[in-house]
Amino acid sequence: MEHVHRHIDEHFKDYLSAVGDLVRQPSISATGEGVRECARLLADMMTSAGIRTEILETGGNPVVYGEIPSGRKDGKTVLFYGHYDVQPPEPLELWESRPFEPAVRDGRLYARGIADNKGQLMAHILAVRAFRETGTDIPCSVKFVFEGEEESGSTSLAPFVEQNRERLACDIALAVDGPMLSGDVLNVCLGCRGVLNFEIEMETARFDCHSGRGGDIIPNAGWELLRLLRTMKDEQGSILIEGFMDGVRTPTEKDMEIIAGLPFDRENLKNLYGVPSFGLDKNGYYTKLNLLPTLTINGITCGYQGKGSKTINPAKASVKMDARLVVDQNPLDIAEKIRRHVARHAPDARVTVHGFMHPSKTDGDLPVCRTVVSALEKVYTDKVALSLGLGGSLPSYVWTDILGVPALGIPYANQDSGGHAPNENFRLDLLQKAVHASAQILHDMK
Ligand SMILES: [Zn+2]
């Protein structure tokens, strides 16, 4: 294996220029600009690395799919997931070099999509190249799923995985994306929360009437909405919707062990959010972040919001909300429970679901997970940490729930890589490490 690592170091300049070629090609899923051209370019790069590659159509942007079959019958199969689409580069005036003209400055490569996610997915392809160029066998089977819609909600991913179950069969899925923790700590994510986005709308009268003539006589949509919201959470913040907490698992010893290994800086969190005090301790914080669901008001609309005053009694009110969901909570079931709750407390209100994603959780003690973590430890030494998730929601359930395999989230990019922002960048030392990491995973996944 040493010679593969040495080869990566010796040829990193060439490898970097291949990464440059990929980021030079725009692939903005929000507008569609360059998406298909990028899929073709990526497919060509994979083919010339010796990967059997196809562009597979979905209802939306195509998936670039690749396979390396293993010569060994009993070999393991690892699936790498990533995305070749990028965020729009605007505002252009804040970029120090043009977003689709890769530029190296201060040991970093700057370009839109370099960290999120083209540089990261190229790490696997370059690792494969290093095996090929040194005439070394890859001991496992490898599959690659690179989608073109991640930055637009991954709408086609679940149906794609559903329709290609057999083709995608594997022992583990690795979603390599996102930034590391501070201090170049690579946090391997064992899951993520799901999410349900919804809106509640109320109409209490035909029009906003004069508050002197209709106030306290005609029902006020604002007060009615507040009354309804008050039935959903108590003073302590506990969610009161019937059945909402059903199936929420109590944290296991293993969960608490993982939490114990994570960093926690109360002052830092206090300053980050600009709050006068931060009451949670480490266990409380990570339990809320990873192991408990939430019910959050995203925005409320009602009555007059303009300058000065307008003395009306509003007839309409609406609230946009989201619920972050933990494993064993089904977003559709939760939506039904919310509907029932609203019907009981405000029969005329309307609930609309705007979107949802299932939660996912993987057992880090599975041998195949341990293999990946130990491969990463060989490259990042003592800077690998396990985490239960980042609080947000990713489509990892397509691997854990649809394919039924463990899934790990692995971030290769520097913490300050500025994904989605101007001057997105990838530190060259970490990009090089990423190629070593993917190579080590391929080697160890026997
Ligand atoms: Zn992104």
Side-chain angles (χ1 to χ4, degrees):
M1 189 53 195
E2 266 324 296
H3 64 290
V4 175
H5 285 306
R6 205 174 327 114
H7 184 87
I8 292 168
D9 289 335
E10 285 165 6
H11 293 78
F12 188 63
K13 260 206 174 132
D14 291 346
Y15 287 3
L16 206 52
S17 83
V19 176
D21 291 342
L22 191 63
V23 286
R24 200 169 286 120
Q25 170 61 54
S27 51
I28 306 166
S29 52
T31 61
E33 184 190 339
V35 168
R36 283 186 179 265
E37 291 84 343
C38 188
R40 269 195 299 275
L41 176 65
L42 176 59
D44 287 346
M45 286 180 169
M46 290 165 67
T47 304
S48 43
I51 301 167
R52 238 170 36 197
T53 307
E54 286 173 77
I55 294 178
L56 299 176
E57 290 302 328
T58 67
N61 295 335
V63 165
V64 181
Y65 177 73
E67 262 183 30
I68 304 173
S70 158
R72 307 184 188 192
K73 263 211 207 97
D74 56 344
K76 289 252 182 300
T77 301
V78 57
L79 184 150
F80 285 104
Y81 159 80
H83 62 94
Y84 65 85
D85 64 320
V86 303
Q87 285 278 322
E90 285 79 7
L92 294 177
E93 64 277 14
L94 294 184
W95 283 80
E96 280 171 40
S97 48
R98 303 172 71 127
F100 296 108
E101 283 173 22
V104 173
R105 288 193 300 278
D106 326 315
R108 293 164 191 251
L109 183 59
Y110 289 84
R112 168 53 84 230
I114 179 63
D116 184 11
N117 174 243
K118 288 173 173 171
Q120 306 207 43
L121 70 84
M122 279 302 284
H124 324 314
I125 296 166
L126 296 171
V128 170
R129 261 181 68 176
F131 275 87
R132 297 279 187 227
E133 287 163 3
T134 53
T136 313
D137 266 347
I138 295 174
C140 58
S141 298
V142 196
K143 297 179 178 179
F144 303 89
V145 173
F146 298 138
E147 67 153 315
E149 294 180 343
E150 198 272 347
E151 301 295 5
S152 301
S154 295
T155 24
S156 306
L157 185 63
F160 171 80
V161 174
E162 196 83 62
Q163 284 155 20
N164 289 279
R165 269 174 214 255
E166 267 157 55
R167 194 202 287 259
L168 302 179
C170 60
D171 293 287
I172 190 166
L174 304 179
V176 180
D177 199 359
M180 304 168 90
L181 301 177
S182 61
D184 297 343
V185 173
L186 184 142
N187 60 314
V188 177
C189 260
L190 296 171
C192 53
R193 291 195 288 190
V195 67
L196 172 73
N197 309 90
F198 63 100
E199 183 168 1
I200 303 172
E201 292 164 287
M202 283 189 163
E203 199 168 341
T204 50
R206 198 151 50 79
F207 59 94
D208 296 350
C209 63
H210 190 295
S211 68
R213 287 194 278 276
D216 282 352
I217 295 170
I218 302 302
N220 177 299
W223 283 115
E224 289 303 311
L225 180 64
L226 285 177
R227 191 185 54 74
L228 171 65
L229 290 172
R230 274 291 176 209
T231 66
M232 299 173 99
K233 255 188 180 183
D234 70 13
E235 301 276 322
Q236 279 70 47
S238 301
I239 298 165
L240 301 175
I241 294 162
E242 204 166 301
F244 190 98
M245 300 298 284
D246 288 359
V248 174
R249 301 180 194 177
T250 38
T252 62
E253 247 170 67
K254 181 71 193 170
D255 291 334
M256 299 322 281
E257 205 179 287
I258 290 169
I259 287 172
L262 290 168
F264 179 71
D265 182 343
R266 185 184 278 134
E267 273 308 297
N268 179 31
L269 286 166
K270 206 181 107 183
N271 295 334
L272 175 67
Y273 292 107
V275 289
S277 68
F278 196 89
L280 295 169
D281 63 6
K282 181 169 164 173
N283 283 349
Y285 171 67
Y286 281 109
T287 302
K288 284 205 174 200
L289 187 71
N290 297 136
L291 301 170
L292 287 174
T294 65
L295 184 65
T296 304
I297 293 174
N298 306 131
I300 295 179
T301 304
C302 178
Y304 182 67
Q305 312 275 353
K307 267 193 182 162
S309 64
K310 186 183 181 195
T311 48
I312 50 157
N313 187 53
K316 283 184 186 174
S318 64
V319 58
K320 287 183 191 282
M321 304 182 78
D322 76 46
R324 298 282 170 177
L325 305 173
V326 294
V327 74
D328 291 341
Q329 285 185 304
N330 181 331
L332 297 174
D333 170 59
I334 294 292
E336 201 38 53
K337 285 169 174 162
I338 290 169
R339 277 211 177 87
R340 252 181 273 146
H341 181 92
V342 171
R344 192 172 318 128
H345 294 273
D348 296 327
R350 196 168 58 240
V351 179
T352 311
V353 169
H354 289 305
F356 65 88
M357 198 175 273
H358 292 272
S360 129
K361 193 175 183 185
T362 283
D363 175 4
D365 278 339
L366 293 170
V368 69
C369 295
R370 284 176 180 269
T371 303
V372 172
V373 172
S374 96
L376 292 169
E377 279 166 348
K378 287 175 195 164
V379 175
Y380 296 88
T381 52
D382 56 347
K383 293 195 166 185
V384 179
L386 286 186
S387 78
L388 296 167
L390 298 172
S393 305
L394 293 166
S396 302
Y397 75 95
V398 303
W399 319 117
T400 54
D401 291 26
I402 301 177
L403 285 190
V405 298
L408 299 177
I410 301 173
Y412 280 162
N414 34 300
Q415 194 198 24
D416 58 353
S417 51
H420 298 204
N423 303 309
E424 180 177 351
N425 66 87
F426 206 139
R427 255 172 51 201
L428 296 181
D429 59 323
L430 290 179
L431 185 52
Q432 193 163 347
K433 243 183 185 177
V435 183
H436 287 295
S438 290
Q440 194 66 49
I441 291 170
L442 294 178
H443 174 266
D444 290 3
M445 194 63 67
K446 292 185 179 67

